[in-house]
Structure formats: C-alpha cells, structure tokens
Amino acid sequence: MSRFFVDKKNIEENRIYITDKDDVKHLSKVLRHRIGDVIEISDNDEYEYEIELESISSDSAYGKILVKRHFEREPFHRITLYQGIPKQGKMELIIQKTVELGVDRIIPVFSERTVVQDKGNFSKKTERWQKIADEAVKQCRRGIIPSVEPAVSFSDLANEIKKNDINIFCYEDEKKTSLKEILRDERIKECRTLGLIIGPEGGFSEKEYDMITSAGALSASLGRTVLRVETASVAAMAMVMYELEQ
C-alpha cells in the first residue's frame, strides 16, 4: 500500500488532504491511483491512517479516513547516527539503508581523516541526503521521516552527544569490548536515546578516541575484521536493532 506524509494541519476529523504537488503527481501519474483506492498517510509525529481517495486533481487530493492508529513500525529506541563523512556516493547508501533499519537522526561529522571538504556549499549535499531519507522511509513504510541534520565538526561532537542517554563509539582498534557485549547490558535496553558514532575511511585518530571517550561514549568493536565505512554503519545499525528491538 502506498504511503504519503502530510502536515497535521491537513488532517481533519474524517478527512485528510494531500497538498504537496510532488506527492500529488507521484500519486496520480506514477502510481496511477484512482478514486476509491486506499492509501496510507502518516502525520510524521504519532499517528498513521488508511484513507479512501475521494478526489484527485492536478494540485491536491483528499480522502476519507478509514483507519487511525499509533505508529506500528517505529522502534522504541531513538537512534542518532553520527557519521564520519565518506567520499563519493557512500553517504547516500548509508542514509538509505540506515533509514530502512530504523535510524531517527543522521548527523554528518567532519573528522581528522575526512577527505571531503566544505567549500561553502555543503548544505546542498545535506538537502540531497534528506531527499534520499524521504524516499527510503516511504518505501519501508515507517511512521516518521528521519532528519539529516547539518554537519558538525568532531570538536563539536562531544557536546552534541550529551543529548543522548547512551553513546557507542565504533572504533576499529578496540580490542576488549564488542558492540554485542555493550548492547546486552540492561542499561542499554532501558535507555530511550542512543548515539552511534561511525568514522570515515581511515577511521578515527587516537586524539579523537580520547576526546570522545572522555565525553562518556563507550568504545566498541564491530568484529575481528576492519569494515568499509558503508558496511560498518549498516552492520552497526542492524546489530542495534536486532538486540534492542525484539
């Protein structure tokens, strides 16, 4: 069933309106929905709906509400991915797959070994990455659209992660503690917000390790092999969801 996201102001007691022109075009021209078809709607906050389409025009569509329910596919834990910015198109793959797996926020991070530079127009990359998140969440039929937020420097990361109950620092040189061990701690299962920190190509420096662990992040290994950045992010998210969202 097709899913669309609307602002709460477009939701009435018995009817929902779709006014985003791109969504209306996608609904009518690409998906070829017709009056009488049933689609899913999310308010991107708390509720999802099933509606029966009653009208489709060139710039809007609306339908009567058949079903209203709380989100069924959103994880309990709110996971923020702090992603060391990789080169080329790897970030797009990371965003797509971690959104499918249940990430709540994605914050790009400039670190010591980041190859990509901000030449004054980095916000355009963020806008494109947000569109990728938008499309990915529609495909997997989640209730909310995860946000891709403005990039931060590694020096700002220590303050940023204070917003979370627990933070896990995935470090390729960690020898003692695995991500699995950390995730099976009862304190982790009870936390509401969790930060997951993944490096770019080349990983993190020892200075960065000291900085972020001093801020309280727990250092964890993802296994015996060193993973590519795009593999590490997806693998870590999959491990978190497997252990915490049973």
Side-chain angles (χ1 to χ4, degrees):
M1 190 182 300
S2 304
R3 170 163 293 222
F4 295 87
F5 291 79
V6 303
D7 193 283
K8 283 186 173 182
K9 67 182 181 182
N10 290 2
I11 301 175
E12 297 182 349
E13 184 177 355
N14 299 310
R15 183 171 284 119
I16 295 178
Y17 293 83
I18 302 171
T19 55
D20 183 278
K21 292 184 178 180
D22 289 337
D23 282 346
V24 173
K25 181 179 179 181
H26 188 69
L27 180 148
S28 60
K29 303 297 184 183
V30 179
L31 299 177
R32 298 186 179 277
H33 280 300
R34 297 293 181 262
I35 293 172
D37 287 353
V38 177
I39 64 172
E40 290 183 335
I41 299 289
S42 170
D43 67 6
N44 200 32
D45 180 53
E46 184 177 6
Y47 293 103
E48 56 190 12
Y49 305 79
E50 291 181 17
I51 68 169
E52 180 181 333
L53 290 169
E54 297 177 304
S55 173
I56 304 172
S57 66
S58 60
D59 59 359
S60 67
Y62 65 81
K64 64 180 178 182
I65 297 174
L66 303 177
V67 177
K68 176 183 178 180
R69 57 179 174 259
H70 285 281
F71 293 150
E72 294 182 338
R73 299 181 181 88
E74 283 304 307
F76 170 79
H77 297 83
R78 297 300 185 189
I79 302 168
T80 298
L81 173 64
Y82 300 98
Q83 178 63 58
I85 302 166
K87 57 187 179 181
Q88 300 174 339
K90 296 176 183 178
M91 191 69 168
E92 297 181 5
L93 176 64
I94 290 168
I95 291 169
Q96 182 186 71
K97 298 308 177 187
T98 56
V99 165
E100 290 178 19
L101 286 165
V103 76
D104 185 60
R105 300 161 66 225
I106 299 172
I107 300 181
V109 178
F110 285 101
S111 66
E112 187 176 315
R113 295 173 181 169
T114 300
V115 175
V116 177
Q117 297 181 350
D118 183 358
K119 298 180 180 180
N121 60 349
F122 198 83
S123 61
K124 292 183 178 179
K125 288 182 181 289
T126 306
E127 291 174 6
R128 185 175 75 251
W129 292 339
Q130 183 63 64
K131 290 180 180 178
I132 291 169
D134 295 352
E135 292 304 314
V137 82
K138 291 176 183 177
Q139 183 274 327
C140 62
R141 296 167 64 185
R142 286 181 56 187
I144 65 167
I145 300 176
S147 60
V148 182
E149 301 185 9
V152 300
S153 66
F154 198 90
S155 60
D156 291 331
L157 191 58
N159 286 326
E160 172 62 36
I161 65 173
K162 291 178 182 178
K163 299 175 183 178
N164 305 313
D165 297 326
I166 298 287
N167 293 284
I168 301 175
F169 183 66
C170 299
Y171 187 51
E172 64 274 14
D173 289 334
E174 175 61 48
K175 305 299 182 184
K176 297 180 179 179
T177 308
S178 69
L179 179 57
K180 179 171 68 174
E181 290 176 82
I182 291 177
L183 293 175
R184 291 187 175 177
D185 188 312
E186 288 302 317
R187 294 174 298 169
I188 301 292
K189 296 182 184 297
E190 294 173 1
C191 79
R192 189 75 171 92
T193 56
L194 186 149
L196 198 57
I197 305 164
I198 307 286
E201 297 91 346
F204 294 109
S205 67
E206 290 186 13
K207 178 183 177 181
E208 290 171 328
Y209 169 85
D210 292 338
M211 185 186 302
I212 209 67
T213 53
S214 296
L218 306 174
S219 179
S221 166
L222 293 179
R224 297 180 181 178
T225 59
V226 177
L227 304 178
R228 290 178 179 270
V229 57
E230 65 272 31
T231 308
S233 303
V234 177
M237 269 299 300
M239 293 177 198
V240 170
M241 297 303 293
Y242 176 79
E243 289 291 341
L244 301 185
E245 299 295 333
Q246 298 181 25

